[in-house]
Amino acid sequence: MSGSTSNMQLETQTQNDRAVLIVKEERLDAHNSSELKERILRTLEEGGRRLVVDLADVKFIDSSGLGALLSGYKNASQRSGTFVLSGLQPRVRSMFELTRLNRVFEIYPRLQEAISSQGVS
Amino acid sequence: MSKTSMSVDIVVPNQTRYLRVIGNIAEQIAKELETDAVDQDMLAYHLNLVLTEAVANAMEYADERRADHTVKICLSIEENDLRIRVYDHGQGFDISAVPMPDIDELQERGRGIFLIRNLMDSVTYQKSESGNVLEMHKSLK
């Protein structure tokens, strides 16, 4: 990424052998989506094979935000890992439905459910 | 029925940090509309989205050699017609050639125009005097 990094607010945790990325931004758009994509990729490269991305704080997502998550999903799959989402607000979820990406992603209502449900490896 | 009539012109620097500002303005305008024909909260989100997509496109396609690195947005509401024009100074593209995203392909890009087409009644993209203009229209009836 160029020098115009957005310094995205992102909390990372490890819980129950899952790498958890909690997006602490209200918007995921072309300003910060490439940073999210890189942070997901870095987590995978550092050995996190079972990723949970929590979007509970995200009120707005655009096509580039969806693209960044899709990139994470594909990269995790290529590494035989898992990639699940949690906490989608209704309007954010409606964007997944409009683009049919709700059929691609495994989506849980709450973070704790995502962490405990991702048991199949 | 909407009784609102307004016209707003906005010029922002060609920097993605301004997408949030544009989106917020769009949401506020949607909430000002006196219409009971549409869900205003949803309209606010949709206007935020189509403007974010259109302006991000304009920023991406902007001609970096030009000194005026700005994107101009004209938003007007007349009777029940909402019209948004977003101007860019780039090379342009053929909107009719933009394919529908294929769910099986899992492409990371290419959903912006698809979303705009879905949420607005009509979308055109053509040459203008100073570059190109993406024009979106939606009836609020």
Side-chain angles (χ1 to χ4, degrees):
Chain A
M1 195 166 170
S2 69
S4 61
T5 51
S6 66
N7 295 316
M8 162 174 262
Q9 299 298 308
L10 191 77
E11 196 180 311
T12 55
Q13 303 176 357
T14 305
Q15 280 194 57
N16 196 25
D17 195 30
R18 274 72 166 173
V20 181
L21 281 72
I22 303 173
V23 180
K24 309 293 271 184
E25 298 275 348
E26 288 195 356
R27 278 177 69 95
L28 272 182
D29 63 20
H31 184 54
N32 55 13
S33 57
S34 55
E35 192 177 347
L36 175 62
K37 182 174 162 178
E38 291 198 357
R39 297 280 287 270
I40 293 170
L41 189 55
R42 202 187 311 157
T43 304
L44 286 165
E45 284 169 349
E46 287 169 355
R49 287 287 179 273
R50 305 169 86 182
L51 257 64
V52 179
V53 177
D54 184 70
L55 300 176
D57 287 344
V58 178
K59 294 178 177 168
F60 177 94
I61 191 165
D62 75 350
S63 62
S64 70
L66 295 169
L69 295 169
L70 202 46
S71 160
Y73 170 84
K74 287 161 64 175
N75 276 308
S77 300
Q78 282 165 10
R79 291 169 164 79
S80 302
T82 56
F83 183 96
V84 305
L85 300 174
S86 65
L88 273 61
Q89 297 196 18
R91 291 184 197 173
V92 170
R93 187 175 179 97
S94 74
M95 290 301 113
F96 281 79
E97 288 165 358
L98 194 53
T99 53
R100 312 261 194 280
L101 290 176
N102 56 318
R103 298 182 189 177
V104 174
F105 291 103
E106 209 171 312
I107 300 171
Y108 294 93
R110 277 168 289 278
L111 176 57
Q112 283 309 317
E113 292 169 46
I115 290 167
S116 56
S117 298
Q118 196 193 2
V120 182
S121 58
Chain B
M1 175 178 283
S2 169
K3 303 182 193 73
T4 313
S5 177
M6 70 167 92
S7 176
V8 181
D9 289 1
I10 310 162
V11 178
V12 291
N14 190 352
Q15 296 168 23
T16 51
R17 59 194 288 253
Y18 290 100
L19 291 173
R20 174 190 298 269
V21 177
I22 297 299
N24 287 344
I25 291 172
E27 290 224 0
Q28 290 306 314
I29 287 173
K31 287 172 182 171
E32 287 293 319
L33 294 176
E34 294 174 26
T35 174
D36 50 14
V38 289
D39 176 341
Q40 274 180 295
D41 280 347
M42 194 50 87
L43 178 66
Y45 188 96
H46 289 170
L47 279 194
N48 186 340
L49 185 76
V50 298
L51 262 175
T52 296
E53 297 288 354
V55 173
N57 257 356
M59 287 175 170
E60 189 176 342
Y61 292 118
D63 186 343
E64 292 296 328
R65 292 165 299 182
R66 284 188 62 119
D68 55 344
H69 285 179
T70 56
V71 174
K72 182 180 168 192
I73 302 128
C74 301
L75 198 153
S76 66
I77 297 156
E78 195 74 45
E79 295 292 322
N80 289 300
D81 281 321
L82 167 67
R83 200 169 293 275
I84 304 170
R85 292 187 294 275
V86 176
Y87 295 85
D88 72 72
H89 305 299
Q91 294 296 310
F93 64 95
D94 180 4
I95 195 168
S96 65
V98 178
M100 287 274 287
D102 183 341
I103 185 71
D104 295 324
E105 291 285 329
L106 299 185
Q107 297 285 350
E108 290 169 35
R109 296 168 55 85
R111 289 181 182 79
I113 295 294
F114 168 78
L115 287 171
I116 292 172
R117 280 179 170 148
N118 255 276
L119 300 176
M120 303 296 280
D121 292 335
S122 68
V123 188
T124 60
Y125 184 76
Q126 52 205 340
K127 291 275 179 205
S128 77
E129 288 172 12
S130 60
N132 312 286
V133 57
L134 182 80
E135 182 164 338
M136 303 173 277
H137 171 258
K138 186 177 181 70
S139 169
L140 302 175
K141 280 181 190 168

